[in-house]
Amino acid sequence: MAVREHIAFNTAFEDAVRPTGHLAAMNAIADLKAQFLAQFNRSYKIGYELPFASNVFWEDARTWAEITPSSGLISWDVLGDARNLEIYTLDPRETRMAKSVTFFTDKTGILVNDELPTVWVSWTPRIYKFSTTAWVTATAYVVGDVRMVSSTGECYRCIVAHTSGTFATDLAAAKWVLMPVLEVLHEFTIRHLHASWLRENGQVQTGVSLQNAALAELLEIHRAELRRNRETPKP
């Protein structure tokens, strides 16, 4: 299946604000920017959660990986702070004979014993809260901190506690993970944020109508994805 394009956070955020006509004001007024960011996070979460309603996900929101850990444990961070996690004896994309594996979801990781040295893991990442707070050097970061790299507009989440040096070096050392926006949700966030803004500024009927239209279109995209996934041939 084709992998969807991912869009940098800042690009998606500004594109979502632009239809409201308040982009210039947002960049000049911190309080207004905070309001739009709250709406953006809410709209993005609505759109990102929708495909999970039927427990079937878009391929780029679901990562499949063959893992053979030398220690017998799969680190929780390796799975990207996962939720809806499943582990199989065989690749479930290729065979219906794949069986679910018993695992532990505590902070020590997922136990893989000597009898099953290789497993296939399917998981879904958490819903992330984005931020416009810029990353800076010589700063102590803890796991879960979210910062935007001003030079690229991309948003990253800290996965290893550290004191920042240069971002490129810290990124290469796997201390940060990119938090992109899916292309399929890009247009949705623009339309839904615009509708939310109209609704919260008195144009209730118009805002509700546009919100419902955006959700309906996203739902139809989701249904199309379900049909496409079900039509994928499996041996």
Side-chain angles (χ1 to χ4, degrees), residues 54-96:
S54 63
N55 206 35
V56 180
F57 318 115
W58 292 330
E59 68 272 11
D60 46 15
R62 189 179 194 181
T63 304
W64 302 75
E66 179 182 350
I67 301 176
T68 310
S70 58
S71 65
L73 287 173
I74 303 174
S75 166
W76 194 247
D77 275 342
V78 170
L79 298 179
D81 204 9
R83 64 191 183 100
N84 295 333
L85 184 139
E86 298 171 84
I87 301 177
Y88 298 93
T89 55
L90 298 169
D91 189 339
R93 298 168 300 175
E94 301 298 332
T95 176
R96 294 187 177 94

Side-chain angles (χ1 to χ4, degrees), residues 25-191:
M26 182 201 74
N27 288 327
I29 304 172
D31 288 347
L32 183 60
K33 190 166 189 174
Q35 292 177 36
F36 273 114
L37 181 60
Q39 290 188 359
F40 179 83
N41 278 325
R42 185 178 65 216
S43 295
Y44 181 77
K45 181 171 182 178
I46 291 171
Y48 199 67
E49 285 280 20
L50 185 61
F52 303 156
S54 63
N55 206 35
V56 180
F57 318 115
W58 292 330
E59 68 272 11
D60 46 15
R62 189 179 194 181
T63 304
W64 302 75
E66 179 182 350
I67 301 176
T68 310
S70 58
S71 65
L73 287 173
I74 303 174
S75 166
W76 194 247
D77 275 342
V78 170
L79 298 179
D81 204 9
R83 64 191 183 100
N84 295 333
L85 184 139
E86 298 171 84
I87 301 177
Y88 298 93
T89 55
L90 298 169
D91 189 339
R93 298 168 300 175
E94 301 298 332
T95 176
R96 294 187 177 94
M97 299 300 291
K99 296 181 180 179
S100 215
V101 181
T102 301
F103 60 90
F104 302 93
T105 55
D106 60 26
K107 293 182 180 179
T108 60
I110 300 164
L111 181 64
V112 179
N113 59 35
D114 293 337
E115 297 178 359
L116 192 66
T118 301
V119 295
W120 277 257
V121 181
S122 167
W123 71 90
T124 306
R126 285 185 179 177
I127 300 301
Y128 293 125
K129 295 290 186 180
F130 291 100
S131 172
T132 54
T133 302
W135 174 93
V136 292
T137 191
T139 301
Y141 289 111
V142 298
V143 174
D145 282 345
V146 177
R147 294 294 184 271
M148 186 178 71
V149 177
S150 301
S151 60
T152 63
E154 293 178 328
C155 215
Y156 292 82
R157 181 174 61 91
C158 177
I159 56 175
V160 177
H162 66 286
T163 298
S164 55
T166 60
F167 185 76
T169 301
D170 292 345
L171 181 62
K175 296 176 180 178
W176 296 92
V177 62
L178 178 64
M179 296 165 53
V181 177
L182 297 180
E183 181 185 28
V184 73
L185 299 178
H186 192 201
E187 183 64 25
F188 169 78
T189 54
I190 294 172
R191 294 175 59 190

Side-chain angles (χ1 to χ4, degrees), residues 191 195 199 203-216:
R191 294 175 59 190
R199 183 175 180 179
Q203 299 183 43
V204 178
Q205 185 173 359
T206 302
V208 170
S209 176
L210 291 175
Q211 281 182 327
N212 290 338
L215 284 168

